[in-house]
Amino acid sequence: MVAIRYNLKIVTWNVGGIHSPVKRQKILHLLQKKKIDIALLQETHLDTAEHLKLRTWWVDRVYENPALGRKAGVAVLVRKGVDFRVDKQYQDPRGRYLLL
């Protein structure tokens, strides 16, 4: 039997809205620089189409529960190469939480 050890870097962050392209890029750059594997972002204030902007060359998957208006919104970013599988997904209709 072979033992495999993973060291995942997971961060949770209340980003306080990332509508601004400058702020969004700064956050994504910092996550990439720190080699974060899974980022749990709260208060994104983004709709479904805008959440697609979170996908970059190093982000493989983006799971989101969009905001209603300019409140709430959550996203989970998964780095490329991370073995991450979603069996079920639950979310509330107001963009307050996302369970994977």
Side-chain angles (χ1 to χ4, degrees):
M1 182 162 87
V2 176
I4 299 174
R5 185 176 181 153
Y6 292 99
N7 291 316
L8 285 177
K9 283 187 167 182
I10 301 172
V11 66
T12 180
W13 192 350
N14 183 328
V15 294
I18 49 175
H19 244 295
S20 161
V22 173
K23 183 177 181 181
R24 187 171 50 245
Q25 289 307 312
K26 284 182 179 181
I27 288 171
L28 289 171
H29 177 74
L30 182 61
L31 293 171
Q32 186 271 328
K33 182 179 175 183
K34 297 290 184 180
K35 298 183 178 166
I36 301 299
D37 296 307
I38 299 173
L40 312 169
L41 306 180
Q42 301 93 43
E43 298 297 331
T44 60
H45 302 178
L46 301 176
D47 62 26
T48 300
E50 291 168 325
H51 271 107
L52 295 176
K53 296 175 184 176
L54 297 174
R55 181 167 281 163
T56 66
W57 65 271
W58 65 272
V59 175
D60 185 33
R61 284 166 281 167
V62 176
Y63 301 93
E64 89 283 337
N65 189 2
L68 294 175
R70 295 285 183 225
K71 294 183 178 181
V74 295
V76 177
L77 310 182
V78 181
R79 175 185 283 281
K80 289 181 180 174
V82 173
D83 187 16
F84 187 84
R85 184 181 74 230
V86 175
D87 292 327
K88 292 184 181 180
Q89 181 172 327
Y90 302 96
Q91 59 191 44
D92 79 325
R94 298 184 310 174
R96 296 285 179 190
Y97 64 82
L98 175 64
L99 304 173
L100 302 173

